[in-house]
Amino acid sequence: MVDTTAERIALVRVCRKLQAGGFIAATDGNVSCRAGLESFLITPSGKAKGELLPLDMLLVNLDGEVLQGSGRPSSEIRMHTLIYALRGDVGAVVHAHPPMLTAFTLASMPFPAEALPEVYLSFGAVPTAPFATPSTDEVPRSIEALVADHQAILLERHGAVTMGATPHDAFLKLEKLEHAAHTLLYAHLLGKERISPLPPEALHKLDRLIS
Ligand SMILES: [Zn+2]
């Protein structure tokens, strides 16, 4: 069995940041990261994520079957197995219920990533997946067409999922997006009825920076 100590500690750190930062409440959310070629670690179901210890993380195979650890893996494990199956470059997945990002989906507002240059540079577009019943196969089905081309996806009336090389990387993406969502709300409160994207020539310049 591979040594997963470092990955377990990385997951614990991210879980604590998610809870401390208000990205999740109670037993919400789930985090995973690859551990070897054929397996990954994931948070257990029904536990407060900010209180988890390294040995609470479950080692599962790419079908989501538990290889090591006790308890049930996260009820959203099929979202994680789908992302690892489709994205060989992704090493970690964070799913949380960030209030501001989730509010955008409740207000039926597409997230305007093209309005803020640093968000656009980091993410390109940030799509919203259609509503899916949490913890069912509807969730992976709702994001399947979006996973290949995006680092972050909002889940309608539910939350967000971000992908990264490591748990910390995926967490930083979530943090950056939630922070941007606050900025966009403040602009709205200050009187901007509709947040406009950057003009096409400005977006082209940013595209050149990425490519
Ligand atoms: Zn959720």
Side-chain angles (χ1 to χ4, degrees):
M1 203 71 80
V2 286
D3 180 3
T4 57
T5 308
E7 289 84 359
R8 288 172 185 276
I9 291 170
L11 287 175
V12 165
R13 285 192 177 136
V14 163
C15 284
R16 289 179 185 171
K17 283 173 183 279
L18 287 171
Q19 196 123 30
F23 298 93
I24 52 175
T27 61
D28 293 347
N30 32 80
V31 185
S32 69
C33 74
R34 288 190 194 268
L37 288 176
E38 301 292 327
S39 54
F40 64 95
L41 287 160
I42 189 164
T43 47
S45 175
K47 302 223 170 125
K49 303 303 171 293
E51 298 169 8
L52 292 176
L53 298 172
L55 285 175
D56 292 326
M57 305 301 168
L58 301 172
L59 186 69
V60 299
N61 65 20
L62 295 178
D63 292 323
E65 296 160 346
V66 177
L67 303 173
Q68 195 180 61
S70 58
R72 279 180 301 117
S74 162
S75 59
E76 298 289 14
I77 191 167
R78 283 160 288 193
M79 177 164 63
H80 296 253
T81 55
L82 174 85
I83 291 171
Y84 291 127
L86 295 180
R87 291 283 300 271
D89 61 315
V90 166
V93 176
V94 170
H95 163 58
H97 300 166
M100 202 64 74
L101 288 169
T102 310
F104 270 77
T105 77
L106 278 165
S108 303
M109 288 177 68
F111 187 80
E114 298 84 355
L116 292 164
E118 297 208 356
V119 172
Y120 182 72
L121 272 177
S122 298
F123 295 93
V126 178
T128 301
F131 178 73
T133 308
S135 78
T136 71
D137 282 337
E138 289 176 25
V139 176
R141 278 205 296 273
S142 75
I143 64 167
E144 191 164 9
L146 303 170
V147 168
D149 296 325
H150 300 93
Q151 303 299 319
I153 301 167
L154 306 190
L155 310 176
E156 188 181 331
R157 296 173 182 266
H158 181 172
V161 59
T162 55
M163 303 157 227
T166 64
H168 185 61
D169 180 34
F171 170 77
L172 290 181
K173 288 186 167 122
L174 188 76
E175 185 181 49
K176 188 177 182 77
L177 275 187
E178 179 71 350
H179 189 264
H182 279 79
T183 304
L184 294 164
L185 176 73
Y186 293 144
H188 184 66
L189 292 174
L190 287 168
K192 189 83 172 165
E193 186 66 32
R194 185 182 157 275
I195 307 292
S196 53
L198 284 157
E201 57 273 24
L203 290 174
H204 288 323
K205 275 190 202 170
L206 294 171
D207 287 337
R208 283 202 292 276
L209 285 178
I210 302 168
S211 58

